[in-house]
Amino acid sequence: MITRADYQLNRLQFLNNLVDLEKSEGLEIGACDLPTVSKEVGNCEFADFRSAEEMIRLWNLPPETVMPVKYILQRYSEVHTQINKKFDFVVLCHVIEHIPNVIGYIKDLHNLLKPGGVIIIACPDKRRTFDASRPSTTIEHLLDDYYNNCNYPSLEHILEFAKAASDDLRQKSIKSPKEFYEWGCKNFESGMADAHCHVWTDEEFFNQISYLIEAGMIEGLEIVDKQYNNIVYNEFLIALKSAR
């Protein structure tokens, strides 16, 4: 049976093929209690929208397992303007699907890299998750979100995600569309909404990132490695390297 530790090791091996961890400084966003690079393995700092104390309280986690969050990020500001440092690698595990503006976010993270640095993205393959029935994100959707500089999930994102992720909310959407809509509006207006804004298969995501790089929408990065979804896992991985 695959465990969380197996995911951790697979991600670490993928990163280790590209980066000399003994000589590198890294940043992981959203590690919570499952860091790709633990302090025993390498030098990595951690960033999140929540403090470690808040995550421990929200999810009743053992305090000793949660990573110390050095950088508490503000949702409406670019990450590179909040962290005055450059890194050899930046890791995102199951984060990119939550980001409303994927193109803008990758360009933002590029500004955190040293020359030759890499961004490692681990993303769930929708076929292996509750998102399986959702329509895949299109390139047009990504471009529209980039044009509008979306920095918060839309009501559509919230409602679509809720129906996929929660049996109770899916039933509510069928039995009482008005109540479901009102729930969605309240969640949206809270300012704290979180959703899988985007969903892909491995091939779809790889093709879209390749298209955006080749089209000059994401400049100065190249795909240097990718790992397709293996059915024993629910995710795929991609590595983007900075040329500058």
Side-chain angles (χ1 to χ4, degrees), residues 55-91:
M55 288 187 280
I56 291 165
R57 184 174 64 254
L58 278 173
W59 302 310
N60 195 30
L61 299 170
E64 65 275 10
T65 67
V66 178
M67 294 303 98
V69 179
K70 183 171 182 178
Y71 308 101
I72 300 178
L73 303 175
Q74 302 302 311
R75 294 172 181 265
Y76 303 108
S77 299
E78 292 181 308
V79 176
H80 82 274
T81 65
Q82 303 179 63
I83 301 177
N84 186 26
K85 188 172 181 178
K86 301 285 187 179
F87 300 92
D88 298 295
F89 62 89
V90 175
V91 177

PDB file of all heavy atoms in Angstrom, residues 55-91:
ATOM      1  N   MET A  55      -2.253  25.941  11.236  1.00  0.00           N
ATOM      2  CA  MET A  55      -2.490  24.640  10.610  1.00  0.00           C
ATOM      3  C   MET A  55      -2.655  23.543  11.658  1.00  0.00           C
ATOM      4  O   MET A  55      -3.514  22.666  11.516  1.00  0.00           O
ATOM      5  CB  MET A  55      -1.342  24.305   9.649  1.00  0.00           C
ATOM      6  CG  MET A  55      -1.348  25.149   8.388  1.00  0.00           C
ATOM      7  SD  MET A  55      -0.124  24.616   7.160  1.00  0.00           S
ATOM      8  CE  MET A  55       1.368  25.368   7.813  1.00  0.00           C
ATOM      9  N   ILE A  56      -1.849  23.590  12.703  1.00  0.00           N
ATOM     10  CA  ILE A  56      -1.960  22.608  13.788  1.00  0.00           C
ATOM     11  C   ILE A  56      -3.346  22.679  14.421  1.00  0.00           C
ATOM     12  O   ILE A  56      -3.994  21.656  14.674  1.00  0.00           O
ATOM     13  CB  ILE A  56      -0.859  22.860  14.835  1.00  0.00           C
ATOM     14  CG1 ILE A  56       0.520  22.518  14.256  1.00  0.00           C
ATOM     15  CG2 ILE A  56      -1.128  22.050  16.109  1.00  0.00           C
ATOM     16  CD1 ILE A  56       1.676  23.057  15.078  1.00  0.00           C
ATOM     17  N   ARG A  57      -3.815  23.901  14.642  1.00  0.00           N
ATOM     18  CA  ARG A  57      -5.118  24.101  15.284  1.00  0.00           C
ATOM     19  C   ARG A  57      -6.268  23.693  14.352  1.00  0.00           C
ATOM     20  O   ARG A  57      -7.228  23.034  14.782  1.00  0.00           O
ATOM     21  CB  ARG A  57      -5.261  25.566  15.688  1.00  0.00           C
ATOM     22  CG  ARG A  57      -6.547  25.872  16.468  1.00  0.00           C
ATOM     23  CD  ARG A  57      -6.570  27.300  16.963  1.00  0.00           C
ATOM     24  NE  ARG A  57      -6.597  28.269  15.885  1.00  0.00           N
ATOM     25  CZ  ARG A  57      -5.563  29.024  15.516  1.00  0.00           C
ATOM     26  NH1 ARG A  57      -4.403  28.926  16.139  1.00  0.00           N
ATOM     27  NH2 ARG A  57      -5.673  29.895  14.512  1.00  0.00           N
ATOM     28  N   LEU A  58      -6.179  24.067  13.086  1.00  0.00           N
ATOM     29  CA  LEU A  58      -7.257  23.795  12.136  1.00  0.00           C
ATOM     30  C   LEU A  58      -7.454  22.299  11.895  1.00  0.00           C
ATOM     31  O   LEU A  58      -8.581  21.814  11.803  1.00  0.00           O
ATOM     32  CB  LEU A  58      -6.972  24.493  10.807  1.00  0.00           C
ATOM     33  CG  LEU A  58      -7.320  25.971  10.692  1.00  0.00           C
ATOM     34  CD1 LEU A  58      -6.815  26.528   9.370  1.00  0.00           C
ATOM     35  CD2 LEU A  58      -8.831  26.181  10.802  1.00  0.00           C
ATOM     36  N   TRP A  59      -6.346  21.583  11.755  1.00  0.00           N
ATOM     37  CA  TRP A  59      -6.418  20.182  11.336  1.00  0.00           C
ATOM     38  C   TRP A  59      -5.977  19.214  12.426  1.00  0.00           C
ATOM     39  O   TRP A  59      -5.822  18.020  12.151  1.00  0.00           O
ATOM     40  CB  TRP A  59      -5.599  19.994  10.062  1.00  0.00           C
ATOM     41  CG  TRP A  59      -6.095  20.887   8.954  1.00  0.00           C
ATOM     42  CD1 TRP A  59      -7.383  21.028   8.530  1.00  0.00           C
ATOM     43  CD2 TRP A  59      -5.314  21.797   8.160  1.00  0.00           C
ATOM     44  NE1 TRP A  59      -7.467  21.956   7.506  1.00  0.00           N
ATOM     45  CE2 TRP A  59      -6.202  22.447   7.259  1.00  0.00           C
ATOM     46  CE3 TRP A  59      -3.960  22.119   8.106  1.00  0.00           C
ATOM     47  CZ2 TRP A  59      -5.781  23.398   6.332  1.00  0.00           C
ATOM     48  CZ3 TRP A  59      -3.531  23.066   7.178  1.00  0.00           C
ATOM     49  CH2 TRP A  59      -4.430  23.689   6.303  1.00  0.00           C
ATOM     50  N   ASN A  60      -5.794  19.728  13.632  1.00  0.00           N
ATOM     51  CA  ASN A  60      -5.447  18.878  14.776  1.00  0.00           C
ATOM     52  C   ASN A  60      -4.226  18.004  14.477  1.00  0.00           C
ATOM     53  O   ASN A  60      -4.234  16.782  14.681  1.00  0.00           O
ATOM     54  CB  ASN A  60      -6.649  17.994  15.157  1.00  0.00           C
ATOM     55  CG  ASN A  60      -6.490  17.379  16.539  1.00  0.00           C
ATOM     56  OD1 ASN A  60      -5.848  17.948  17.423  1.00  0.00           O
ATOM     57  ND2 ASN A  60      -7.077  16.207  16.731  1.00  0.00           N
ATOM     58  N   LEU A  61      -3.173  18.638  13.990  1.00  0.00           N
ATOM     59  CA  LEU A  61      -1.960  17.931  13.604  1.00  0.00           C
ATOM     60  C   LEU A  61      -0.971  17.864  14.766  1.00  0.00           C
ATOM     61  O   LEU A  61      -0.926  18.780  15.593  1.00  0.00           O
ATOM     62  CB  LEU A  61      -1.296  18.647  12.415  1.00  0.00           C
ATOM     63  CG  LEU A  61      -2.125  18.734  11.136  1.00  0.00           C
ATOM     64  CD1 LEU A  61      -1.447  19.669  10.140  1.00  0.00           C
ATOM     65  CD2 LEU A  61      -2.318  17.360  10.521  1.00  0.00           C
ATOM     66  N   PRO A  62      -0.162  16.814  14.827  1.00  0.00           N
ATOM     67  CA  PRO A  62       0.908  16.770  15.843  1.00  0.00           C
ATOM     68  C   PRO A  62       1.886  17.921  15.593  1.00  0.00           C
ATOM     69  O   PRO A  62       2.424  18.035  14.487  1.00  0.00           O
ATOM     70  CB  PRO A  62       1.576  15.412  15.603  1.00  0.00           C
ATOM     71  CG  PRO A  62       0.568  14.603  14.851  1.00  0.00           C
ATOM     72  CD  PRO A  62      -0.214  15.572  14.025  1.00  0.00           C
ATOM     73  N   PRO A  63       2.125  18.775  16.531  1.00  0.00           N
ATOM     74  CA  PRO A  63       2.971  19.956  16.318  1.00  0.00           C
ATOM     75  C   PRO A  63       4.350  19.636  15.782  1.00  0.00           C
ATOM     76  O   PRO A  63       4.898  20.404  14.973  1.00  0.00           O
ATOM     77  CB  PRO A  63       3.052  20.591  17.714  1.00  0.00           C
ATOM     78  CG  PRO A  63       1.825  20.122  18.408  1.00  0.00           C
ATOM     79  CD  PRO A  63       1.563  18.748  17.896  1.00  0.00           C
ATOM     80  N   GLU A  64       4.911  18.512  16.196  1.00  0.00           N
ATOM     81  CA  GLU A  64       6.272  18.187  15.786  1.00  0.00           C
ATOM     82  C   GLU A  64       6.376  17.818  14.306  1.00  0.00           C
ATOM     83  O   GLU A  64       7.478  17.763  13.746  1.00  0.00           O
ATOM     84  CB  GLU A  64       6.834  17.044  16.642  1.00  0.00           C
ATOM     85  CG  GLU A  64       6.138  15.713  16.489  1.00  0.00           C
ATOM     86  CD  GLU A  64       4.896  15.541  17.360  1.00  0.00           C
ATOM     87  OE1 GLU A  64       4.453  16.544  17.965  1.00  0.00           O
ATOM     88  OE2 GLU A  64       4.378  14.418  17.438  1.00  0.00           O
ATOM     89  N   THR A  65       5.239  17.569  13.646  1.00  0.00           N
ATOM     90  CA  THR A  65       5.289  17.168  12.234  1.00  0.00           C
ATOM     91  C   THR A  65       5.142  18.343  11.279  1.00  0.00           C
ATOM     92  O   THR A  65       5.447  18.220  10.092  1.00  0.00           O
ATOM     93  CB  THR A  65       4.173  16.151  11.915  1.00  0.00           C
ATOM     94  OG1 THR A  65       2.890  16.791  12.016  1.00  0.00           O
ATOM     95  CG2 THR A  65       4.240  14.960  12.853  1.00  0.00           C
ATOM     96  N   VAL A  66       4.642  19.469  11.758  1.00  0.00           N
ATOM     97  CA  VAL A  66       4.345  20.611  10.876  1.00  0.00           C
ATOM     98  C   VAL A  66       5.596  21.464  10.684  1.00  0.00           C
ATOM     99  O   VAL A  66       6.298  21.787  11.644  1.00  0.00           O
ATOM    100  CB  VAL A  66       3.194  21.457  11.456  1.00  0.00           C
ATOM    101  CG1 VAL A  66       2.913  22.664  10.573  1.00  0.00           C
ATOM    102  CG2 VAL A  66       1.936  20.603  11.596  1.00  0.00           C
ATOM    103  N   MET A  67       5.844  21.827   9.428  1.00  0.00           N
ATOM    104  CA  MET A  67       7.040  22.586   9.108  1.00  0.00           C
ATOM    105  C   MET A  67       6.975  24.011   9.665  1.00  0.00           C
ATOM    106  O   MET A  67       5.892  24.624   9.668  1.00  0.00           O
ATOM    107  CB  MET A  67       7.232  22.652   7.588  1.00  0.00           C
ATOM    108  CG  MET A  67       7.526  21.309   6.949  1.00  0.00           C
ATOM    109  SD  MET A  67       8.999  20.505   7.654  1.00  0.00           S
ATOM    110  CE  MET A  67       8.267  19.367   8.842  1.00  0.00           C
ATOM    111  N   PRO A  68       8.093  24.560  10.126  1.00  0.00           N
ATOM    112  CA  PRO A  68       8.107  25.956  10.577  1.00  0.00           C
ATOM    113  C   PRO A  68       7.928  26.889   9.377  1.00  0.00           C
ATOM    114  O   PRO A  68       8.715  26.842   8.431  1.00  0.00           O
ATOM    115  CB  PRO A  68       9.501  26.104  11.204  1.00  0.00           C
ATOM    116  CG  PRO A  68      10.333  25.065  10.519  1.00  0.00           C
ATOM    117  CD  PRO A  68       9.410  23.913  10.244  1.00  0.00           C
ATOM    118  N   VAL A  69       6.893  27.680   9.392  1.00  0.00           N
ATOM    119  CA  VAL A  69       6.596  28.568   8.259  1.00  0.00           C
ATOM    120  C   VAL A  69       7.344  29.881   8.458  1.00  0.00           C
ATOM    121  O   VAL A  69       6.980  30.694   9.308  1.00  0.00           O
ATOM    122  CB  VAL A  69       5.075  28.815   8.144  1.00  0.00           C
ATOM    123  CG1 VAL A  69       4.789  29.762   6.975  1.00  0.00           C
ATOM    124  CG2 VAL A  69       4.345  27.488   7.955  1.00  0.00           C
ATOM    125  N   LYS A  70       8.376  30.071   7.664  1.00  0.00           N
ATOM    126  CA  LYS A  70       9.175  31.290   7.769  1.00  0.00           C
ATOM    127  C   LYS A  70       8.477  32.464   7.103  1.00  0.00           C
ATOM    128  O   LYS A  70       8.572  33.602   7.571  1.00  0.00           O
ATOM    129  CB  LYS A  70      10.552  31.082   7.155  1.00  0.00           C
ATOM    130  CG  LYS A  70      11.470  32.285   7.279  1.00  0.00           C
ATOM    131  CD  LYS A  70      12.893  31.978   6.868  1.00  0.00           C
ATOM    132  CE  LYS A  70      13.786  33.192   7.063  1.00  0.00           C
ATOM    133  NZ  LYS A  70      15.201  32.898   6.704  1.00  0.00           N
ATOM    134  N   TYR A  71       7.784  32.178   5.992  1.00  0.00           N
ATOM    135  CA  TYR A  71       7.140  33.245   5.222  1.00  0.00           C
ATOM    136  C   TYR A  71       5.637  32.997   5.179  1.00  0.00           C
ATOM    137  O   TYR A  71       5.168  32.054   4.536  1.00  0.00           O
ATOM    138  CB  TYR A  71       7.683  33.288   3.791  1.00  0.00           C
ATOM    139  CG  TYR A  71       9.188  33.342   3.705  1.00  0.00           C
ATOM    140  CD1 TYR A  71       9.927  32.189   3.409  1.00  0.00           C
ATOM    141  CD2 TYR A  71       9.889  34.538   3.903  1.00  0.00           C
ATOM    142  CE1 TYR A  71      11.318  32.237   3.318  1.00  0.00           C
ATOM    143  CE2 TYR A  71      11.271  34.592   3.809  1.00  0.00           C
ATOM    144  CZ  TYR A  71      11.973  33.432   3.524  1.00  0.00           C
ATOM    145  OH  TYR A  71      13.348  33.474   3.432  1.00  0.00           O
ATOM    146  N   ILE A  72       4.862  33.813   5.875  1.00  0.00           N
ATOM    147  CA  ILE A  72       3.405  33.730   5.819  1.00  0.00           C
ATOM    148  C   ILE A  72       2.943  34.650   4.690  1.00  0.00           C
ATOM    149  O   ILE A  72       3.091  35.869   4.763  1.00  0.00           O
ATOM    150  CB  ILE A  72       2.766  34.123   7.160  1.00  0.00           C
ATOM    151  CG1 ILE A  72       3.258  33.170   8.260  1.00  0.00           C
ATOM    152  CG2 ILE A  72       1.242  34.072   7.056  1.00  0.00           C
ATOM    153  CD1 ILE A  72       2.733  33.505   9.641  1.00  0.00           C
ATOM    154  N   LEU A  73       2.406  34.053   3.645  1.00  0.00           N
ATOM    155  CA  LEU A  73       2.112  34.773   2.413  1.00  0.00           C
ATOM    156  C   LEU A  73       0.742  35.432   2.445  1.00  0.00           C
ATOM    157  O   LEU A  73      -0.228  34.872   2.964  1.00  0.00           O
ATOM    158  CB  LEU A  73       2.185  33.808   1.227  1.00  0.00           C
ATOM    159  CG  LEU A  73       3.519  33.067   1.050  1.00  0.00           C
ATOM    160  CD1 LEU A  73       3.403  32.054  -0.083  1.00  0.00           C
ATOM    161  CD2 LEU A  73       4.652  34.051   0.792  1.00  0.00           C
ATOM    162  N   GLN A  74       0.663  36.606   1.863  1.00  0.00           N
ATOM    163  CA  GLN A  74      -0.599  37.305   1.658  1.00  0.00           C
ATOM    164  C   GLN A  74      -1.179  36.887   0.309  1.00  0.00           C
ATOM    165  O   GLN A  74      -0.462  36.849  -0.698  1.00  0.00           O
ATOM    166  CB  GLN A  74      -0.392  38.814   1.709  1.00  0.00           C
ATOM    167  CG  GLN A  74       0.223  39.307   3.013  1.00  0.00           C
ATOM    168  CD  GLN A  74      -0.598  38.938   4.224  1.00  0.00           C
ATOM    169  OE1 GLN A  74      -1.807  39.150   4.251  1.00  0.00           O
ATOM    170  NE2 GLN A  74       0.056  38.376   5.234  1.00  0.00           N
ATOM    171  N   ARG A  75      -2.441  36.593   0.280  1.00  0.00           N
ATOM    172  CA  ARG A  75      -3.067  36.034  -0.920  1.00  0.00           C
ATOM    173  C   ARG A  75      -3.062  36.980  -2.114  1.00  0.00           C
ATOM    174  O   ARG A  75      -3.037  36.531  -3.255  1.00  0.00           O
ATOM    175  CB  ARG A  75      -4.517  35.645  -0.617  1.00  0.00           C
ATOM    176  CG  ARG A  75      -4.653  34.498   0.374  1.00  0.00           C
ATOM    177  CD  ARG A  75      -6.093  34.285   0.771  1.00  0.00           C
ATOM    178  NE  ARG A  75      -6.237  33.211   1.745  1.00  0.00           N
ATOM    179  CZ  ARG A  75      -6.521  31.950   1.443  1.00  0.00           C
ATOM    180  NH1 ARG A  75      -6.707  31.609   0.194  1.00  0.00           N
ATOM    181  NH2 ARG A  75      -6.623  31.038   2.390  1.00  0.00           N
ATOM    182  N   TYR A  76      -3.099  38.267  -1.863  1.00  0.00           N
ATOM    183  CA  TYR A  76      -3.316  39.209  -2.961  1.00  0.00           C
ATOM    184  C   TYR A  76      -2.037  39.902  -3.422  1.00  0.00           C
ATOM    185  O   TYR A  76      -2.094  40.851  -4.195  1.00  0.00           O
ATOM    186  CB  TYR A  76      -4.366  40.243  -2.559  1.00  0.00           C
ATOM    187  CG  TYR A  76      -5.676  39.596  -2.150  1.00  0.00           C
ATOM    188  CD1 TYR A  76      -6.075  39.566  -0.812  1.00  0.00           C
ATOM    189  CD2 TYR A  76      -6.483  38.969  -3.086  1.00  0.00           C
ATOM    190  CE1 TYR A  76      -7.255  38.953  -0.438  1.00  0.00           C
ATOM    191  CE2 TYR A  76      -7.662  38.351  -2.720  1.00  0.00           C
ATOM    192  CZ  TYR A  76      -8.046  38.348  -1.392  1.00  0.00           C
ATOM    193  OH  TYR A  76      -9.206  37.722  -1.027  1.00  0.00           O
ATOM    194  N   SER A  77      -0.881  39.430  -2.970  1.00  0.00           N
ATOM    195  CA  SER A  77       0.393  40.014  -3.369  1.00  0.00           C
ATOM    196  C   SER A  77       1.264  38.941  -4.005  1.00  0.00           C
ATOM    197  O   SER A  77       1.197  37.763  -3.628  1.00  0.00           O
ATOM    198  CB  SER A  77       1.129  40.610  -2.159  1.00  0.00           C
ATOM    199  OG  SER A  77       0.371  41.640  -1.564  1.00  0.00           O
ATOM    200  N   GLU A  78       2.097  39.335  -4.957  1.00  0.00           N
ATOM    201  CA  GLU A  78       2.987  38.377  -5.594  1.00  0.00           C
ATOM    202  C   GLU A  78       3.966  37.813  -4.574  1.00  0.00           C
ATOM    203  O   GLU A  78       4.437  38.516  -3.680  1.00  0.00           O
ATOM    204  CB  GLU A  78       3.746  39.054  -6.735  1.00  0.00           C
ATOM    205  CG  GLU A  78       2.856  39.434  -7.901  1.00  0.00           C
ATOM    206  CD  GLU A  78       3.647  40.084  -9.023  1.00  0.00           C
ATOM    207  OE1 GLU A  78       4.396  41.048  -8.744  1.00  0.00           O
ATOM    208  OE2 GLU A  78       3.537  39.621 -10.167  1.00  0.00           O
ATOM    209  N   VAL A  79       4.276  36.536  -4.730  1.00  0.00           N
ATOM    210  CA  VAL A  79       5.139  35.863  -3.760  1.00  0.00           C
ATOM    211  C   VAL A  79       6.517  36.491  -3.735  1.00  0.00           C
ATOM    212  O   VAL A  79       7.094  36.719  -2.661  1.00  0.00           O
ATOM    213  CB  VAL A  79       5.240  34.355  -4.090  1.00  0.00           C
ATOM    214  CG1 VAL A  79       6.210  33.661  -3.134  1.00  0.00           C
ATOM    215  CG2 VAL A  79       3.864  33.704  -4.021  1.00  0.00           C
ATOM    216  N   HIS A  80       7.067  36.810  -4.914  1.00  0.00           N
ATOM    217  CA  HIS A  80       8.448  37.302  -4.945  1.00  0.00           C
ATOM    218  C   HIS A  80       8.598  38.681  -4.305  1.00  0.00           C
ATOM    219  O   HIS A  80       9.698  39.075  -3.941  1.00  0.00           O
ATOM    220  CB  HIS A  80       8.998  37.302  -6.380  1.00  0.00           C
ATOM    221  CG  HIS A  80       8.597  38.488  -7.196  1.00  0.00           C
ATOM    222  ND1 HIS A  80       7.417  38.553  -7.911  1.00  0.00           N
ATOM    223  CD2 HIS A  80       9.237  39.673  -7.417  1.00  0.00           C
ATOM    224  CE1 HIS A  80       7.346  39.711  -8.537  1.00  0.00           C
ATOM    225  NE2 HIS A  80       8.424  40.403  -8.258  1.00  0.00           N
ATOM    226  N   THR A  81       7.481  39.402  -4.155  1.00  0.00           N
ATOM    227  CA  THR A  81       7.552  40.694  -3.461  1.00  0.00           C
ATOM    228  C   THR A  81       7.499  40.522  -1.947  1.00  0.00           C
ATOM    229  O   THR A  81       7.762  41.470  -1.202  1.00  0.00           O
ATOM    230  CB  THR A  81       6.403  41.619  -3.888  1.00  0.00           C
ATOM    231  OG1 THR A  81       5.145  41.060  -3.462  1.00  0.00           O
ATOM    232  CG2 THR A  81       6.379  41.806  -5.404  1.00  0.00           C
ATOM    233  N   GLN A  82       7.170  39.320  -1.486  1.00  0.00           N
ATOM    234  CA  GLN A  82       7.068  39.049  -0.053  1.00  0.00           C
ATOM    235  C   GLN A  82       8.277  38.290   0.495  1.00  0.00           C
ATOM    236  O   GLN A  82       8.432  38.167   1.713  1.00  0.00           O
ATOM    237  CB  GLN A  82       5.804  38.231   0.230  1.00  0.00           C
ATOM    238  CG  GLN A  82       4.516  38.898  -0.246  1.00  0.00           C
ATOM    239  CD  GLN A  82       3.295  38.044   0.036  1.00  0.00           C
ATOM    240  OE1 GLN A  82       2.963  37.757   1.189  1.00  0.00           O
ATOM    241  NE2 GLN A  82       2.613  37.610  -1.008  1.00  0.00           N
ATOM    242  N   ILE A  83       9.099  37.752  -0.400  1.00  0.00           N
ATOM    243  CA  ILE A  83      10.276  36.988   0.012  1.00  0.00           C
ATOM    244  C   ILE A  83      11.488  37.596  -0.674  1.00  0.00           C
ATOM    245  O   ILE A  83      11.668  37.441  -1.890  1.00  0.00           O
ATOM    246  CB  ILE A  83      10.142  35.498  -0.355  1.00  0.00           C
ATOM    247  CG1 ILE A  83       8.892  34.898   0.313  1.00  0.00           C
ATOM    248  CG2 ILE A  83      11.398  34.731   0.049  1.00  0.00           C
ATOM    249  CD1 ILE A  83       8.640  33.448  -0.048  1.00  0.00           C
ATOM    250  N   ASN A  84      12.302  38.277   0.071  1.00  0.00           N
ATOM    251  CA  ASN A  84      13.461  38.976  -0.490  1.00  0.00           C
ATOM    252  C   ASN A  84      14.673  38.049  -0.499  1.00  0.00           C
ATOM    253  O   ASN A  84      15.653  38.248   0.227  1.00  0.00           O
ATOM    254  CB  ASN A  84      13.753  40.240   0.325  1.00  0.00           C
ATOM    255  CG  ASN A  84      14.853  41.077  -0.295  1.00  0.00           C
ATOM    256  OD1 ASN A  84      15.074  41.027  -1.508  1.00  0.00           O
ATOM    257  ND2 ASN A  84      15.564  41.834   0.525  1.00  0.00           N
ATOM    258  N   LYS A  85      14.585  37.007  -1.333  1.00  0.00           N
ATOM    259  CA  LYS A  85      15.651  36.016  -1.383  1.00  0.00           C
ATOM    260  C   LYS A  85      15.526  35.221  -2.670  1.00  0.00           C
ATOM    261  O   LYS A  85      14.440  35.110  -3.242  1.00  0.00           O
ATOM    262  CB  LYS A  85      15.545  35.082  -0.163  1.00  0.00           C
ATOM    263  CG  LYS A  85      16.702  34.123   0.008  1.00  0.00           C
ATOM    264  CD  LYS A  85      16.592  33.377   1.340  1.00  0.00           C
ATOM    265  CE  LYS A  85      17.766  32.420   1.535  1.00  0.00           C
ATOM    266  NZ  LYS A  85      17.687  31.725   2.843  1.00  0.00           N
ATOM    267  N   LYS A  86      16.652  34.672  -3.141  1.00  0.00           N
ATOM    268  CA  LYS A  86      16.662  33.815  -4.322  1.00  0.00           C
ATOM    269  C   LYS A  86      17.014  32.395  -3.896  1.00  0.00           C
ATOM    270  O   LYS A  86      17.785  32.171  -2.960  1.00  0.00           O
ATOM    271  CB  LYS A  86      17.686  34.310  -5.341  1.00  0.00           C
ATOM    272  CG  LYS A  86      17.458  35.736  -5.834  1.00  0.00           C
ATOM    273  CD  LYS A  86      16.304  35.826  -6.811  1.00  0.00           C
ATOM    274  CE  LYS A  86      16.214  37.237  -7.413  1.00  0.00           C
ATOM    275  NZ  LYS A  86      15.108  37.359  -8.382  1.00  0.00           N
ATOM    276  N   PHE A  87      16.463  31.416  -4.625  1.00  0.00           N
ATOM    277  CA  PHE A  87      16.629  30.015  -4.256  1.00  0.00           C
ATOM    278  C   PHE A  87      17.117  29.182  -5.439  1.00  0.00           C
ATOM    279  O   PHE A  87      16.888  29.526  -6.600  1.00  0.00           O
ATOM    280  CB  PHE A  87      15.290  29.451  -3.759  1.00  0.00           C
ATOM    281  CG  PHE A  87      14.735  30.156  -2.560  1.00  0.00           C
ATOM    282  CD1 PHE A  87      13.858  31.226  -2.707  1.00  0.00           C
ATOM    283  CD2 PHE A  87      15.097  29.764  -1.279  1.00  0.00           C
ATOM    284  CE1 PHE A  87      13.348  31.894  -1.600  1.00  0.00           C
ATOM    285  CE2 PHE A  87      14.591  30.421  -0.160  1.00  0.00           C
ATOM    286  CZ  PHE A  87      13.717  31.489  -0.322  1.00  0.00           C
ATOM    287  N   ASP A  88      17.744  28.054  -5.112  1.00  0.00           N
ATOM    288  CA  ASP A  88      18.156  27.096  -6.133  1.00  0.00           C
ATOM    289  C   ASP A  88      16.978  26.258  -6.610  1.00  0.00           C
ATOM    290  O   ASP A  88      16.987  25.750  -7.732  1.00  0.00           O
ATOM    291  CB  ASP A  88      19.251  26.179  -5.578  1.00  0.00           C
ATOM    292  CG  ASP A  88      20.506  26.945  -5.196  1.00  0.00           C
ATOM    293  OD1 ASP A  88      21.150  27.505  -6.096  1.00  0.00           O
ATOM    294  OD2 ASP A  88      20.825  26.977  -3.987  1.00  0.00           O
ATOM    295  N   PHE A  89      16.002  26.087  -5.742  1.00  0.00           N
ATOM    296  CA  PHE A  89      14.806  25.339  -6.148  1.00  0.00           C
ATOM    297  C   PHE A  89      13.596  25.831  -5.359  1.00  0.00           C
ATOM    298  O   PHE A  89      13.720  26.297  -4.218  1.00  0.00           O
ATOM    299  CB  PHE A  89      14.986  23.823  -5.958  1.00  0.00           C
ATOM    300  CG  PHE A  89      15.208  23.368  -4.550  1.00  0.00           C
ATOM    301  CD1 PHE A  89      14.137  23.040  -3.714  1.00  0.00           C
ATOM    302  CD2 PHE A  89      16.495  23.236  -4.030  1.00  0.00           C
ATOM    303  CE1 PHE A  89      14.331  22.615  -2.412  1.00  0.00           C
ATOM    304  CE2 PHE A  89      16.710  22.802  -2.726  1.00  0.00           C
ATOM    305  CZ  PHE A  89      15.629  22.484  -1.919  1.00  0.00           C
ATOM    306  N   VAL A  90      12.448  25.746  -6.007  1.00  0.00           N
ATOM    307  CA  VAL A  90      11.160  26.037  -5.382  1.00  0.00           C
ATOM    308  C   VAL A  90      10.256  24.841  -5.649  1.00  0.00           C
ATOM    309  O   VAL A  90      10.152  24.376  -6.791  1.00  0.00           O
ATOM    310  CB  VAL A  90      10.524  27.324  -5.944  1.00  0.00           C
ATOM    311  CG1 VAL A  90       9.129  27.528  -5.362  1.00  0.00           C
ATOM    312  CG2 VAL A  90      11.402  28.536  -5.659  1.00  0.00           C
ATOM    313  N   VAL A  91       9.616  24.338  -4.602  1.00  0.00           N
ATOM    314  CA  VAL A  91       8.780  23.140  -4.703  1.00  0.00           C
ATOM    315  C   VAL A  91       7.332  23.484  -4.399  1.00  0.00           C
ATOM    316  O   VAL A  91       7.034  24.198  -3.427  1.00  0.00           O
ATOM    317  CB  VAL A  91       9.267  22.045  -3.725  1.00  0.00           C
ATOM    318  CG1 VAL A  91       8.353  20.831  -3.775  1.00  0.00           C
ATOM    319  CG2 VAL A  91      10.709  21.639  -4.045  1.00  0.00           C
TER     320      VAL A  91
END
